[in-house]
Amino acid sequence: QLQIVESGGDLVRTGGSLRLSCAVSGITLDRYSIGWFRQAPGKEREGISCISSTDGSTYYRESVKGRFTISRDIAKNTVFLQMNSLKLEDTAVYYCAADLGGASTTGWDVMYEYEYWGRGTQVTVSS
């Protein structure tokens, strides 16, 4: 049975770090690209990062470049999002999603490209 489960969300101070995990079952990371999205209250869901199934290429939203790092452990079927230097505006529910096939620079952050979604994990950054 296909499952996508996010974990690692927490309350953290500005400048702090968190590591989110996305554990998938029923699919494999060598066939599915994994994207991280987030949705803040009153705002649209936005793509944060993605790791491609084909070659592990990574993509980032401009506002998180240099602070967030996506990685994967294919053997454990888990994708990670290391978030450093967290800011107040990083507060959101973070979602993990799976897209069959490789990712591209033009489509990695498009929600409807992703077939399967997790339920999200809350990240709250406080001052």
Side-chain angles (χ1 to χ4, degrees):
Q1 184 177 355
L2 190 146
Q3 273 192 316
I4 298 178
V5 181
E6 305 93 335
S7 62
D10 205 344
L11 172 63
V12 64
R13 293 286 182 92
T14 53
S17 298
L18 281 176
R19 188 193 197 202
L20 304 184
S21 297
C22 172
V24 304
S25 58
I27 59 173
T28 57
L29 300 183
D30 59 349
R31 295 190 64 213
Y32 282 79
S33 298
I34 301 296
W36 281 98
F37 291 74
R38 68 184 180 189
Q39 188 166 18
K43 295 188 176 181
E44 291 187 354
R45 195 170 297 188
E46 61 185 18
I48 296 301
S49 184
C50 174
I51 187 162
S52 181
S53 61
T54 53
D55 58 0
S57 295
T58 58
Y59 306 87
Y60 296 94
R61 185 177 190 83
E62 194 62 36
S63 61
V64 306
K65 281 182 180 178
R67 299 190 298 124
F68 291 11
T69 303
I70 192 170
S71 62
R72 65 181 179 177
D73 185 329
I74 292 179
K76 294 183 178 180
N77 249 12
T78 303
V79 173
F80 305 98
L81 185 68
Q82 178 67 42
M83 306 188 297
N84 299 327
S85 302
L86 284 162
K87 303 177 180 181
L88 293 175
E89 53 265 39
D90 293 320
T91 294
V93 177
Y94 283 69
Y95 298 91
C96 185
D99 174 29
L100 179 63
S104 68
T105 55
T106 56
W108 71 266
D109 58 347
V110 178
M111 284 180 55
Y112 64 75
E113 293 286 342
Y114 292 81
E115 293 89 1
Y116 306 109
W117 290 80
R119 294 187 175 185
T121 185
Q122 176 71 47
V123 172
T124 304
V125 184
S126 67
S127 57

